Amino acid sequence: QDREGASTNRRSMGGIGGLTEDELAKCREAFAQFDADNSGTIEPWELKKTLMAMGQNPSDEDMAKMFLELDTDESGSIDFTEFVSIISRHKKQSEYDSSEADTIAAWIAMGGNRDKSGQVDTDRLRSLVTRFSLTIDIEALLQEADKDQSGFIDYEEFKTMFEEPPAHSPDKAAYTLL
């Protein structure tokens, strides 16, 4: 085992915090850069020193808030597990942001506005499915999404078309556009 308490066997490292083995290796490198005294933990002064070396000048208040978020076991220092946890959370947030960006791009392509306003005509969606021979049940999807049955989909209704299908759906694949 290494000083962070993690196995040095690469195969057993996969999946920690939902990160790949390569991402974990990069986390170890970054952790080592923060851990200036090689203690196996990041102390508040090490975090501030590293951030300042990166051109940031966090206030004491910012540092306290950051440390409260990172130091989940309230030990006064950040261990490798806590470090990986915060990296994993940021990765998941980034993936969510990317997914939201894809949904907005599809919304705009169908005629909605960049600020999520406007509407998409359900006939236009039907036409798209037919034109591209998509194997989805567009009628079931529209019935579920167009709650007010107006024939138009607003952004919130549109977004539901890209989310998990309803629990009662007999064919989950029929409800998935992406």
Side-chain angles (χ1 to χ4, degrees):
Q1 289 199 344
D2 60 18
R3 64 186 171 83
E4 291 94 18
S7 170
T8 53
N9 179 336
R10 289 192 141 276
R11 268 183 272 183
S12 68
M13 291 187 288
I16 297 172
L19 300 176
T20 67
E21 290 180 23
D22 287 340
E23 289 169 331
L24 284 170
K26 289 177 184 174
C27 282
R28 280 188 181 75
E29 289 173 27
F31 187 86
Q33 289 179 351
F34 279 92
D35 184 16
D37 65 359
N38 295 316
S39 66
T41 61
I42 301 170
E43 306 300 322
W45 68 267
E46 291 171 311
L47 180 60
K48 187 166 187 167
K49 179 182 174 187
T50 303
L51 291 173
M52 290 178 79
M54 295 167 49
Q56 298 181 29
N57 191 15
S59 69
D60 289 341
E61 183 180 337
D62 289 340
M63 289 299 302
K65 285 180 186 176
M66 193 179 311
F67 229 78
L68 281 174
E69 179 184 357
L70 298 171
D71 184 20
T72 56
D73 66 3
E74 299 178 2
S75 65
S77 61
I78 302 164
D79 62 27
F80 185 70
T81 302
E82 291 167 319
F83 187 78
V84 168
S85 176
I86 195 70
I87 299 297
S88 177
R89 274 189 290 182
H90 284 283
K91 177 185 176 192
K92 288 175 186 167
Q93 182 62 45
S94 177
E95 288 169 353
Y96 171 79
D97 292 346
S98 176
S99 174
E100 177 79 1
D102 290 345
T103 303
I104 292 170
W107 170 250
I108 293 167
M110 292 305 300
N113 299 321
R114 187 171 300 281
D115 67 356
K116 302 178 190 175
S117 66
Q119 305 178 337
V120 171
D121 189 323
T122 56
D123 287 338
R124 186 168 183 191
L125 286 168
R126 285 184 188 92
S127 173
L128 175 83
V129 169
T130 302
R131 187 172 2 144
F132 289 102
S133 303
L134 299 176
T135 57
I136 61 171
D137 184 349
I138 190 63
E139 293 307 320
L141 188 58
L142 290 174
Q143 183 177 354
E144 191 69 34
D146 188 13
K147 298 286 186 202
D148 61 5
Q149 301 299 305
S150 65
F152 293 93
I153 306 278
D154 65 25
Y155 180 76
E156 290 304 315
E157 291 171 324
F158 185 79
K159 189 168 76 168
T160 65
M161 296 169 66
F162 296 93
E163 295 172 348
E164 273 297 307
H168 64 275
S169 170
D171 180 12
K172 288 187 170 203
Y175 285 88
T176 306
L177 281 179
L178 288 180

